[in-house]
Amino acid sequence: MPPDYELQSYWQKRFVDESHFEWLGDGKETILPHIRAYLLGQQSTSGGKSSTPARLLHIGAGTSSLSERLRELYIDVYGNDVDERQIVNADFVEELVEGKRKAEEVRAGNSLRKGMQWVCADALNWPDLHRLVESDSDLFDMVIEKSTSDAISCGEDVSFGQASTSAGLHPAFSKYLETHPEKVINFSPVEVFAIHLASLVRPGGLWVALTFSSNRFPFLSLSENCERMSPRGADYWSLERVVAADAPTGAQKDVHAPAVQHSVCLIRRKLSP
C-alpha cells in the first residue's frame, strides 16, 4: 500500500530520522523565480526598494532546504537588514517545528529582525491556521508550498453537516450550514485547504504551488463546480497559469531517463469575497 502522506503520524515517524529531503527538487528553478518576480513587482509598484518585505507563508515546510533559500532570496532582494520574521514556515509535526524554532533563535541572537518564524499548524485544522492571522495587518502577501497539496490530496473527501462542530469550522462553512441546516456539503481535502488559505492571504496575493499534477486544483474551474450555493474554492482563488517544470531525474548524463514534468501553479487571491 502507498504511504499515508496525508497523516500527521506518517510524518512524525518519518521526521524522527530524516534531517533533509527534497520533494520535487529544491525549488531553485521552479518556485524561487516566481517568488523573486513577485517581490520585485511589489517593489516597482511602491516606487523603489521597499523597506517592508512581503509577508510570506511557507506551508508544509518539512525538512526541505527551501526555507533557507527563501531567507537568501529575501536578503538578496531587500538587503542584509531584512526582517526575516516576515517569512513564516509552518508544519504540523511539533517536534520538527520546535527544533527549527530553536535553531532560528540561535541565529537571531539579540537581533529583533533575524530568524524566520516556525509555527506548528495543520492545514486542514481551521483554528490552527486562524491564529496565524489575528488582524488584517497579519495577512500574508504570498503563500508557497512544495507538494503539500499533493500530500493533502491523498486523504478522503471531507463532509460538513449539522453535526459538525461549528467552533472548529472555517466561517464560510459554518455560515452556510447555519442557513442550510438540512445540507451536508462535501469537499476534496485540497479544496478545504484552498478555502482555509484564502482567509490568510490578502486580496491580490499569490499562492505558488509546486505539484506532481497539472490538474491538482480542478475545483478552481467553474465548470467543475456543483452546488454553487455552497462555498467553493473558486469563490476565492483564480488559477492564472500552470507552468511545466522538468523534474530532477538524478540520472547520469549518459543514461537515458524518461522525461517527467512537475507543475508550478500560480493562483491569485480574488479581490472578493
Side-chain angles (χ1 to χ4, degrees):
M1 293 182 63
D4 295 316
Y5 291 124
E6 78 279 12
L7 296 182
Q8 186 181 44
S9 57
Y10 168 82
W11 297 101
Q12 287 172 327
K13 183 180 295 185
R14 178 174 177 135
F15 289 159
V16 168
D17 299 314
E18 179 182 284
S19 60
H20 174 244
F21 188 83
E22 300 293 354
W23 293 91
L24 313 191
D26 60 14
K28 287 182 180 179
E29 305 297 328
T30 51
I31 290 181
L32 290 182
H34 298 289
I35 301 174
R36 178 183 290 276
Y38 181 88
L39 299 181
L40 294 177
Q42 267 200 334
Q43 287 192 336
S44 66
T45 57
S46 65
K49 191 131 180 152
S50 173
S51 60
T52 304
R55 185 162 157 81
L56 181 148
L57 175 63
H58 175 203
I59 194 159
T63 60
S64 169
S65 65
L66 181 58
S67 56
E68 288 299 325
R69 303 293 81 77
L70 291 171
R71 188 204 315 271
E72 294 167 358
L73 177 59
Y74 266 52
I75 291 172
D76 186 48
V77 172
Y78 296 107
N80 289 326
D81 197 38
V82 63
D83 186 353
E84 296 176 4
R85 298 170 302 171
Q86 297 302 310
I87 302 172
V88 179
N89 300 286
D91 200 278
F92 67 175
V93 176
E94 187 172 355
E95 294 80 5
L96 170 77
V97 169
E98 187 58 28
K100 296 287 189 178
R101 185 184 291 138
K102 288 179 178 177
E104 291 299 316
E105 289 174 356
V106 171
R107 170 182 167 78
N110 295 324
S111 173
L112 297 178
R113 299 174 65 83
K114 296 299 181 184
M116 298 179 291
Q117 293 189 60
W118 278 83
V119 297
C120 188
D122 183 337
L124 296 185
N125 183 306
W126 172 242
D128 271 11
L129 293 184
H130 186 219
R131 61 186 173 83
L132 300 182
V133 177
E134 296 180 355
S135 67
D136 286 350
S137 63
D138 294 327
L139 288 173
F140 292 94
D141 297 288
M142 177 180 286
V143 59
I144 67 167
E145 48 108 345
K146 187 155 67 81
S147 208
T148 301
S149 53
D150 292 327
I152 289 173
S153 73
C154 296
E156 297 180 354
D157 283 358
V158 181
S159 297
F160 301 122
Q162 193 172 18
S164 303
T165 304
S166 60
L169 292 184
H170 184 279
F173 301 138
S174 58
K175 183 177 180 180
Y176 178 80
L177 293 172
E178 283 175 7
T179 55
H180 300 79
E182 78 287 356
K183 293 281 190 178
V184 174
I185 48 179
N186 302 298
F187 300 89
S188 72
V190 179
E191 187 166 14
V192 174
F193 178 44
I195 293 173
H196 284 180
L197 287 183
S199 291
L200 307 183
V201 179
R202 67 168 181 80
L206 188 65
W207 173 9
V208 182
L210 177 61
T211 81
F212 278 109
S213 172
S214 61
N215 193 36
R216 177 57 65 217
F217 308 99
F219 52 84
L220 295 181
S221 168
L222 290 176
S223 63
E224 293 288 339
N225 278 305
C226 58
E227 199 179 351
R228 288 300 303 154
M229 292 299 291
S230 67
R232 291 293 174 181
D235 298 334
Y236 303 90
W237 296 101
S238 174
L239 180 60
E240 288 192 341
R241 190 154 55 107
V242 178
V243 181
D246 291 334
T249 64
Q252 298 178 0
K253 291 183 178 180
D254 57 345
V255 177
H256 173 74
V260 176
Q261 289 192 317
H262 299 150
S263 296
V264 182
C265 301
L266 305 178
I267 310 170
R268 185 72 61 177
R269 178 66 168 92
K270 291 183 176 180
L271 299 182
S272 63

